[in-house]
Amino acid sequence: QVQLVESGGGSVQAGGSLRLSCAASASGSLFLANPMRWYRQAPGKQRELVATITSGGSTSYGDSMKGRVAISRDNAKNTVYLQMNSLKPEDTAVYYCNARIYLLTSGLNDYWGQGTQVTVSS
């Protein structure tokens, strides 16, 4: 079935950068995930939208990280990236990839990755 596999999280000092990746796959199926999004959830807080990108490359950003992040994608690989710069301790959270995918077998659904931890120390 559909799998979203994230990578690139880790620990970094304030002011540093990280690049997250998320690859979507569906065994035996051709598809184009549209859109793809990054969310994050800090302890005790609600999950919030960080960035969105469509298959055509249109992007939008949530207020919390606007100006410090850039979302991009490789349609051929159904992979989305999140470049995060000037990281702050308050950016510490689990970052989740989300993709809306249509499959003939199951229709249109939203899928989630397992999450990747980002920890920013002061």
Side-chain angles (χ1 to χ4, degrees):
Q1 300 301 333
V2 175
Q3 281 192 314
L4 300 183
V5 179
E6 296 145 342
S7 60
S11 297
V12 65
Q13 289 192 326
S17 298
L18 283 174
R19 188 188 192 218
L20 307 183
S21 300
C22 171
S25 63
S27 56
S29 299
L30 294 175
F31 66 94
L32 181 62
N34 186 35
M36 300 187 81
R37 296 186 169 103
W38 285 99
Y39 287 80
R40 70 180 185 179
Q41 188 166 20
K45 295 188 177 181
Q46 288 189 329
R47 191 170 295 189
E48 64 174 349
L49 178 63
V50 176
T52 301
I53 187 166
T54 67
S55 58
S58 296
T59 60
S60 61
Y61 297 93
D63 291 337
S64 60
M65 299 190 77
K66 191 177 291 183
R68 299 187 293 121
V69 294
I71 189 171
S72 59
R73 65 183 291 167
D74 183 335
N75 285 340
K77 298 179 180 179
N78 273 307
T79 298
V80 63
Y81 307 95
L82 187 70
Q83 177 67 43
M84 304 186 293
N85 302 317
S86 303
L87 285 164
K88 306 174 182 179
E90 51 264 44
D91 294 322
T92 295
V94 179
Y95 286 71
Y96 295 93
C97 173
N98 169 273
R100 182 161 293 173
I101 296 172
Y102 176 83
L103 297 175
L104 287 175
T105 54
S106 55
L108 185 65
N109 289 286
D110 280 330
Y111 297 91
W112 293 88
Q114 79 283 0
T116 186
Q117 177 71 45
V118 171
T119 302
V120 184
S121 58
S122 57

